[in-house]
Amino acid sequence: MRRLAAGAGAFLHPPGGWRRRFWRSLVLVMVWGVIVTGAVTAYFYFTLPSLEEATRLQRGPTAALLATDGAFIASYGELRGQMTTVAQMPPHLPRAVIAIEDRRFYEHGGIDPWGVARAIFVNVTSGRLRQGASTITQQLARNLLLDNSRSFGRKAREALLAFELERRFAKDQILTLYLNRVYFGGGAYGVDAAARRFFGKPATQVNLWEAALLAGSLKAPSKLAPDRNPEEAAARARLVLNAMVESGFIDRADADQPMAVALSAATALDAPVAGNARYFADWAVDQAEGFMAGLQQDVLVETTLDLALQRLAEKALADGLAGKPAKTPARAWPSQGAIVVMTPEGAVRAMVGGLAYQASQFNRAAQAVRQMGSVYKPFVYLAALEAGMEPDDIVLDAPIAVGTWRPGNYKDRYYGEVTLREALARSLNAAAVRLAEKVGRQKSVAAARRLGVVSALPDGPSVSLGAGAATLLEVTGAYAAFAAGGRFTPPHGIVEVRSRSGDVLYKPTIAATQAIDHAVALRMTNLLAAVVEWGSGRAASVDRDAAGKTGTTQRSRDGWFVGYTADLVVGVWVGNDDDTAVEGLTGSGLPAQIWHDFVAATHDRFAPKPLPGKASYPARPGQAAAPAPRTDAAATLPAAKPFVIYQYPNGDRDGG
């Protein structure tokens, strides 16, 4: 026991030599710790970016797209405005940012210990990461470092750079640098660019509500930009106003006063054109991709987009797809759609590539290659007219077989001997196939190619019923040639690109060709006008002359209506992105109704005009004028003739 007690005493009270060695080792470790820490700190300090270079506002060139009236559509590249100091801004603008981002900005030295402690407490007690502690100075440092990684080295440089910024610059200078560099969403870097982008005014003129919107977007610019998510942006702005009250920057009356303005602002920002015009903008920029890639300066891109028509097109599509009758199952109603509006000369005035650009940037108007169905049939009839036939010439509508392929009419109804006009107006499949086989099916393919349909088309007989696929933009552009008297102009969206000083830098060359003989084009309009007047496209009939064609693909996967008036050519497509069937969908239904609603809404812009070729067309040399087309289907068209009804498993069931 005595030996055990002695051993324990020696352990608890070592002889003097052991104590000296222990403290000497501890001091040595501490000295080396200081040396290593100092060396690491020195390394990070001396590898910091030059403040003179880093604080200089630099960016790449930007392209701002403008509508026909000069209104802003979208920007590409880094959009920056004028350098604006804190002193030049209205006081509520920097205060809004300080209140929501860093209330102790004027008190700390770059890093806020109280903010760090508060963030740790909130995150620990909540069990998840809910609050950050970065100061405005740290955020500026992160911006200058151009590195968002979560490494120890980046965090160390950020802290050192924050201290250096506080040492070198006054607080207002730091805040000025921050507000002129930070990203606000919508391609806008800096507060002046954001104010001009979202509110059409410089940062020196923003009101309290607008300042709160800008400050609120800093948390998540891509999500909370006012033009992207107006409801969440408005909710975040209210938090900013409350934070300003708590910070003593404004009183409660000031915070409550903008609320009425907030509602109207959010409503205005929520206009459909705010986001969906980006479908057009993306497509237009792609048209000048080679030129835009070599930009060395800011440019203004004048486009063909008409914002008023864009809004009407977006509304027509949204209302149409939202109009599902009660108790209609989801499988019997399309989930997506697209609209293209252009002039007969190919200038695209509106483009809706889907219901919501924010949800999906896939452009169903210009990128989706969908089976055409009966919107292809006009190319068959064009080939027949070019072969010398007339709208009143006869074609037999009766069951037909081409090899083992036996296409059938919609609901297996056949009409016997009919004119070309009636065959197209009723969208008779058997007549179209018989006509294509008579004049040569590849002639319809060649006609489609001349009119800008570049997508792959099949070689077999089913091509005459639209078994091939194309984009809505291609088909609408082809129909524009009918409206233009046979003159085909490729669809285009850019008028010119000019510098900020007004110098024209790029003007695309749009080559128009007489792709169809003028007299033949008028005959095509005569045929297509019958579709709208008394044929399958009656639902598209409006208060003016119109011509067009319905289209439905097999198993009702796609519904089309493409048509034109004297002023506009409009294409509509509806369906599902996954190519699933839509029970009961026909081109004569929802697509024709959407087309009608859009064109009817433009009556204030365009007075009714006669459509050349609708009522008559020039006779061939040496012949008398052709008779006027029949217009009263019930009174003048023959009833369906009593053919045997065949059930063909592979038949095209085109309801328009």
Side-chain angles (χ1 to χ4, degrees):
M1 290 293 294
R2 286 196 298 271
R3 289 181 181 177
L4 184 61
F11 177 80
L12 295 173
H13 304 285
W18 171 258
R19 285 197 298 269
R20 284 194 299 271
R21 286 195 299 274
F22 172 78
W23 288 110
R24 186 183 305 141
S25 298
L26 182 60
V27 169
L28 188 62
V29 169
M30 293 176 64
V31 169
W32 276 108
V34 170
I35 293 173
V36 171
T37 302
V40 171
T41 302
Y43 169 76
F44 287 135
Y45 181 81
F46 287 111
T47 56
L48 290 176
S50 165
L51 282 183
E52 288 74 15
E53 188 68 24
T55 55
R56 186 179 301 124
L57 292 179
Q58 297 177 338
R59 62 171 175 83
T62 65
L65 272 66
L66 308 178
T68 52
D69 61 355
F72 176 84
I73 302 172
S75 65
Y76 294 83
E78 299 177 6
L79 180 64
R80 292 187 186 270
Q82 300 295 321
M83 178 72 174
T84 308
T85 67
V86 169
Q88 294 171 321
M89 300 175 195
H92 48 256
L93 178 52
R95 288 174 180 173
V97 174
I98 290 171
I100 198 67
E101 292 292 316
D102 185 4
R103 291 188 197 179
R104 289 171 43 81
F105 172 69
Y106 284 101
E107 300 170 25
H108 61 68
I111 295 177
D112 184 7
W114 291 106
V116 173
R118 182 178 63 253
I120 292 174
F121 175 78
V122 169
N123 295 334
V124 170
T125 55
S126 65
R128 59 191 179 93
L129 188 62
R130 294 186 56 186
Q131 192 174 104
S134 292
T135 65
I136 285 176
T137 313
Q138 286 176 278
Q139 292 180 51
L140 175 60
R142 187 180 311 136
N143 185 286
L144 296 175
L145 287 169
L146 301 176
D147 183 3
N148 288 320
S149 66
R150 297 191 176 186
S151 65
F152 169 76
R154 199 274 296 167
K155 293 296 290 183
R157 285 189 175 88
E158 178 187 305
L160 289 172
L161 190 54
F163 288 133
E164 185 66 8
L165 286 167
E166 292 281 348
R167 185 181 72 84
R168 295 276 298 275
F169 299 105
K171 285 288 188 178
D172 281 357
Q173 290 177 304
I174 293 174
L175 190 56
T176 293
L177 283 171
Y178 174 75
L179 289 174
N180 281 275
R181 294 187 69 101
V182 70
Y183 183 56
F184 285 88
Y189 289 81
V191 68
D192 188 67
R196 295 176 188 273
R197 170 70 177 82
F198 301 130
F199 312 123
K201 61 175 70 173
T204 56
Q205 297 177 14
V206 298
N207 61 34
L208 177 59
W209 168 251
E210 292 162 345
L213 273 174
L214 292 176
S217 70
L218 293 173
K219 179 182 179 182
S222 297
K223 178 182 179 182
L224 296 174
D227 66 339
R228 179 171 288 271
N229 197 335
E231 292 184 1
E232 288 195 35
R236 177 70 177 170
R238 291 186 179 92
L239 292 179
V240 174
L241 293 172
N242 291 333
M244 293 180 74
V245 173
E246 295 171 5
S247 301
F249 293 144
I250 59 175
D251 56 32
R252 177 53 60 185
D254 291 331
D256 292 339
Q257 186 178 3
M259 290 303 174
V261 179
L263 294 175
S264 62
T267 301
L269 289 169
D270 200 25
V273 72
N276 288 352
R278 286 296 297 267
Y279 287 119
F280 170 86
D282 291 351
W283 169 75
V285 166
D286 285 345
Q287 286 194 309
E289 184 177 3
F291 172 80
M292 302 293 273
L295 281 181
Q296 300 296 322
Q297 59 179 307
D298 292 349
V299 296
L300 300 174
V301 183
E302 183 182 339
T303 74
T304 60
L305 186 76
D306 185 312
L307 282 179
L309 294 179
Q310 176 72 22
R311 291 188 180 95
L312 292 176
E314 291 179 11
K315 185 177 187 303
L317 181 65
D319 290 351
L321 291 177
K324 183 177 73 170
K327 298 183 180 179
T328 300
R331 66 179 180 276
W333 201 256
S335 60
Q336 271 294 353
I339 296 180
V340 171
V341 181
M342 66 176 65
T343 67
E345 295 73 35
V348 177
R349 298 299 188 207
M351 179 181 287
V352 188
L355 276 177
Y357 181 88
Q358 292 84 357
S360 169
Q361 287 77 55
F362 178 68
N363 190 337
R364 296 156 188 85
Q367 294 175 293
V369 180
R370 305 290 299 214
Q371 195 175 61
M372 286 181 279
S374 288
V375 291
Y376 179 86
K377 286 178 183 174
F379 305 128
V380 174
Y381 287 80
L382 172 59
L385 294 177
E386 291 181 329
M389 297 187 73
E390 289 287 338
D392 286 297
D393 286 350
I394 300 300
V395 61
L396 178 64
D397 179 52
I400 183 174
V402 182
T404 59
W405 183 58
R406 291 178 169 84
N409 280 358
Y410 182 60
K411 295 184 179 179
D412 292 312
R413 296 185 66 190
Y414 299 92
Y415 289 80
E417 291 184 348
V418 294
T419 64
L420 268 61
R421 183 185 301 105
E422 182 181 352
L424 185 59
R426 290 189 183 277
S427 199
L428 304 178
N429 288 340
V433 172
R434 185 169 277 106
L435 194 62
E437 294 303 305
K438 176 181 178 180
V439 302
R441 72 178 75 117
Q442 286 305 313
K443 289 186 178 179
S444 71
V445 174
R449 296 293 186 224
R450 292 202 313 270
L451 300 183
V453 178
V454 298
S455 298
L457 297 174
D459 293 329
S462 63
V463 68
S464 58
L465 296 186
T471 67
L472 178 62
L473 183 65
E474 287 177 83
V475 178
T476 308
Y479 278 51
F482 300 147
R487 193 168 179 79
F488 171 69
T489 308
H492 56 280
I494 293 180
V495 177
E496 65 181 23
V497 180
R498 59 181 183 271
S499 66
R500 294 277 181 178
S501 60
D503 296 330
V504 176
L505 305 176
Y506 171 74
K507 195 174 184 70
T509 301
I510 310 298
T513 58
Q514 191 67 40
I516 311 170
D517 180 80
H518 181 71
V520 172
L522 294 181
R523 286 165 167 77
M524 280 303 307
T525 292
N526 181 268
L527 296 179
L528 293 169
V531 175
V532 176
E533 190 168 356
W534 50 263
S536 63
R538 289 188 301 276
S541 180
V542 285
D543 65 343
R544 63 201 65 208
D545 287 356
K549 186 67 188 76
T550 55
T552 313
T553 60
Q554 290 190 22
R555 287 181 285 278
S556 298
R557 292 190 179 99
D558 307 90
W560 301 70
F561 190 88
V562 184
Y564 52 93
T565 65
D567 297 292
L568 296 175
V569 187
V570 183
V572 177
W573 168 87
V574 298
N576 294 327
D577 282 341
D578 60 3
D579 205 31
T580 53
V582 181
E583 291 182 5
L585 175 67
T586 64
S588 59
L590 181 59
Q593 187 61 52
I594 292 173
W595 193 95
H596 165 275
D597 292 347
F598 169 77
V599 175
T602 69
H603 70 276
D604 290 337
R605 291 282 303 276
F606 306 102
K609 301 174 187 174
L611 193 59
K614 174 183 180 295
S616 62
Y617 48 89
R620 286 192 298 244
Q623 289 188 331
R630 294 176 293 185
T631 57
D632 186 351
T636 62
L637 292 183
K641 300 221 172 108
F643 286 96
V644 176
I645 304 301
Y646 295 94
Q647 299 295 335
Y648 300 124
N650 298 320
D652 183 311
R653 296 296 183 263
D654 190 339

